[in-house]
Amino acid sequence: MAGELVWLALLLAHELLPCPCVLAIDRGEFPEDFLFGTSTSAYQIEGAYLEGNKGLSNWDVFAHKPGTIEDGSNGDIADDHYHHYMEDIELMHSLGVNSYRFSIAWTRILPRGRFGHVNPDGVAFYNHLIDALLQKGIQPFVTISHYDIPQELEMRYGGWLSAEIQKDFGHLAEVCFMMFGDRVKFWTTFNQPNLFLKFSYMDGLYPPGRCSQPFGKCASGNSSIEPYIAGHNMILSHANAVRVYRKRYQGRQGGQIGISMCSRWYEPFRNTTIDILAVERALAFSGPWFLDPIIFGDYPIEMRRILGPNLPEFTSQQKKKLRSTKLDFIGLNHYTTLYMKDCIFSPCEMDPVDGDARVFSSPVGDDGSLIGEVTGSPFYYVVPEGMEQVVMYYKQRYNNTPTYITENGYAQASNSSMTARDFTNDTQRVDYIRDYLTSLASSIRKGADVRGYFVWSLLDCFEWTSGYTLRLGLYHVDFKTLKRTPKLSVEWFKNFLKGSLVGTRLRKENYQLYARQ
């Protein structure tokens, strides 16, 4: 320890101190027009859940039910981005990002879905946000639906379980294209529906909280069928939205449209044929669940073999529509890598995310060692090489369709007694972002057409059923005062984006704090 302090003291004698972990990445390793941004979603940051004539969403209702959120919290206020968006845009501008990925709150635009009017207050809010971003040279990258839907649609016809929602989503998408498409050049229809639907209809953890055994004990639901009915309706909703965009808006607005997938990477638990096949199945049940139908016109063969008649069929007309619309890019949300074990020929526990593929995921390998460093979340482990692996998988499977990393970030555990000082010296996040960017750059050198990277998240925010027990923001948020405080990762990312030699180093005073700790 004494030797380390002497080493730090010598380095602190200079104006700049190199990062304690050697910087392995430079801005110059990415194309000049590469999008570097931050990512958020409406329910997680906006707050103001009863303001501006907004309707109630499924999450507004669900988060108020006792026992649904780990710390008993909700997104009623969250970061209050609705009132602080100008401040938050200044944070992005000072950071130096050139894009911002956010989502539209469905109930701000259409409080009652297609059964009511377009809300001018909601349209005005997003117009102000988009215009302010563009004035700062920041490209809006907009998600049309990020988990939240109007509660009325859930009550009227069962939300995503009904084909009726295809009409509602198409209506929402067209309103968004009409109102904002003259300035928004990047659209994603859905955010990681392949994970969201399993939590909603297989495990019962997200609204509407439907499931059945062995996945969970809910008042209603069928875990063997409902996730795939809901997914089928989402896929056709995506196709409807893309068709409308292509036919009526894309030609004159000049934008692009895609979809974002949860994209964990997997390694075989053992070097055996059955575990290697388990990895292939788990991957097919992930992003390809949606992307295969959208791009090729039908579900992966691995899903059809396992699920049989529980997996819906596309009509010949629907297949034709899917092949004709497709997408302009794929968004990948990548955080972690896990080991994957076969559960067809081996006894297994029930896996809450991947169990439908007859597999079990684990951070612990056959030799008893962890796959990577633990983070503040029990589900995320630091395995940077997984970034390259997952990008190359999608490159090969989908003929190198243009790709954006729409989410990637590091989780810090949090509780109500902790203060900003406990979070701002986030050297683990610096290491994480640097190493995952290094892995991403390697995939680009190998020919992957990757065009952007978004850190999750700009701000600490409401992390769904984890509430405020996890912090993934570059900026710390005091949820009592709403004060934003930059973490050390802000300084690192800012300097990285500058692309200069000085930009690869951090200020001395930040590492004086590091040395004292």
Side-chain angles (χ1 to χ4, degrees), residues 121-136:
D121 291 342
V123 171
F125 169 71
Y126 291 112
N127 272 329
H128 294 325
L129 174 63
I130 290 166
D131 289 344
L133 286 167
L134 291 171
Q135 287 172 5
K136 293 294 185 179

Side-chain angles (χ1 to χ4, degrees), residues 11-301:
L11 288 170
L12 288 168
H14 297 82
E15 284 299 311
L16 294 167
L17 173 63
C19 178
C21 296
V22 177
L23 189 70
I25 190 67
D26 183 84
R27 171 64 181 85
E29 296 186 45
F30 297 87
E32 287 187 14
D33 59 352
F34 198 84
L35 294 185
F36 278 106
T38 57
S39 195
T40 66
S41 86
Y43 186 75
Q44 293 180 268
I45 68 164
E46 280 185 8
Y49 85 116
L50 293 179
E51 294 189 48
N53 293 307
K54 176 183 167 295
L56 286 177
S57 76
N58 57 338
W59 273 93
D60 290 324
V61 175
F62 182 78
H64 279 259
K65 293 179 180 179
T68 58
I69 310 300
E70 184 175 338
D71 58 359
S73 63
N74 55 58
D76 292 0
I77 299 174
D79 297 316
D80 198 22
H81 178 71
Y82 186 79
H83 295 108
H84 291 257
Y85 71 92
M86 289 299 292
E87 175 186 350
D88 295 335
I89 291 173
E90 285 299 326
L91 296 181
M92 285 182 259
H93 181 59
S94 67
L95 187 59
V97 297
N98 58 10
S99 190
Y100 173 49
R101 177 177 176 255
F102 63 95
S103 73
I104 301 288
W106 195 328
T107 49
R108 276 201 200 285
I109 301 298
L110 297 167
R112 302 181 59 213
R114 73 182 193 276
F115 303 102
H117 64 281
V118 176
N119 178 22
D121 291 342
V123 171
F125 169 71
Y126 291 112
N127 272 329
H128 294 325
L129 174 63
I130 290 166
D131 289 344
L133 286 167
L134 291 171
Q135 287 172 5
K136 293 294 185 179
I138 300 172
Q139 280 280 353
F141 200 109
V142 179
T143 304
I144 298 172
S145 177
H146 192 128
Y147 295 2
D148 52 322
I149 71 170
Q151 178 65 15
E152 179 160 342
L153 306 189
E154 192 68 58
M155 297 173 67
R156 273 182 182 265
Y157 53 67
W160 289 112
L161 291 177
S162 170
E164 283 294 306
I165 203 164
Q166 296 175 34
K167 300 175 186 176
D168 266 293
F169 184 76
H171 180 50
L172 169 66
E174 180 149 26
V175 169
C176 289
F177 301 148
M178 187 185 306
M179 298 296 181
F180 315 123
D182 58 326
R183 289 150 293 156
V184 174
K185 304 307 175 187
F186 300 94
W187 295 100
T188 54
T189 52
F190 296 105
N191 177 73
Q192 55 183 36
N194 56 327
L195 183 66
F196 160 70
L197 290 181
K198 290 185 178 183
F199 285 162
S200 298
Y201 296 98
M202 194 167 80
D203 304 320
L205 300 175
Y206 285 6
R210 296 177 65 86
C211 69
S212 62
Q213 292 185 346
F215 288 94
K217 296 180 180 180
C218 300
S220 58
N222 186 330
S223 300
S224 298
I225 297 175
E226 289 187 353
Y228 315 109
I229 294 174
H232 203 72
N233 286 322
M234 270 195 169
I235 290 164
L236 294 173
S237 295
H238 165 89
N240 286 342
V242 174
R243 187 177 186 183
V244 168
Y245 189 61
R246 298 253 194 269
K247 185 177 180 180
R248 302 178 188 171
Y249 299 96
Q250 190 171 34
R252 56 189 169 89
Q253 293 179 349
Q256 302 175 35
I257 190 164
I259 189 169
S260 291
M261 290 289 118
C262 173
S263 53
R264 300 196 298 181
W265 184 247
Y266 303 111
E267 294 291 341
F269 181 75
R270 299 158 298 194
N271 188 25
T272 63
T273 299
I274 60 171
D275 283 353
I276 292 170
L277 291 174
V279 168
E280 293 180 7
R281 278 201 312 279
L283 290 170
F285 272 69
S286 185
W289 171 15
F290 281 75
L291 294 175
D292 271 25
I294 290 169
I295 294 174
F296 302 134
D298 208 350
Y299 292 110
I301 188 65

Side-chain angles (χ1 to χ4, degrees), residues 101 329 471:
R101 177 177 176 255
F329 64 85
R471 291 179 178 267

Side-chain angles (χ1 to χ4, degrees), residues 474-514:
L474 296 174
Y475 289 88
H476 174 274
V477 177
D478 183 322
F479 293 108
K480 295 178 180 178
T481 66
L482 299 176
K483 179 181 178 182
R484 280 84 158 133
T485 302
K487 301 178 187 177
L488 185 62
S489 51
V490 166
E491 185 72 12
W492 184 91
F493 201 42
K494 182 187 300 184
N495 288 326
F496 164 76
L497 292 174
K498 289 177 182 177
S500 65
L501 180 61
V502 172
T504 65
R505 297 168 181 258
L506 294 171
R507 287 184 195 166
K508 179 175 66 177
E509 55 266 30
N510 288 326
Y511 276 99
Q512 286 175 328
L513 174 61
Y514 172 82

Side-chain angles (χ1 to χ4, degrees), residues 419-472:
T419 67
R421 288 180 62 87
D422 297 309
F423 297 101
T424 48
N425 199 36
D426 59 341
T427 55
Q428 298 97 332
R429 180 172 287 108
V430 169
D431 293 346
Y432 179 97
I433 294 174
R434 180 204 63 220
D435 292 345
Y436 274 73
L437 280 173
T438 300
S439 185
L440 182 62
S442 178
S443 72
I444 294 173
R445 287 194 298 272
K446 293 177 181 177
D449 188 3
V450 184
R451 302 186 181 186
Y453 169 89
F454 293 82
V455 176
W456 185 275
S457 176
L458 173 67
L459 306 168
D460 292 335
C461 60
F462 179 82
E463 287 291 343
W464 306 114
T465 53
S466 295
Y468 300 103
T469 66
L470 293 177
R471 291 179 178 267
L472 286 93

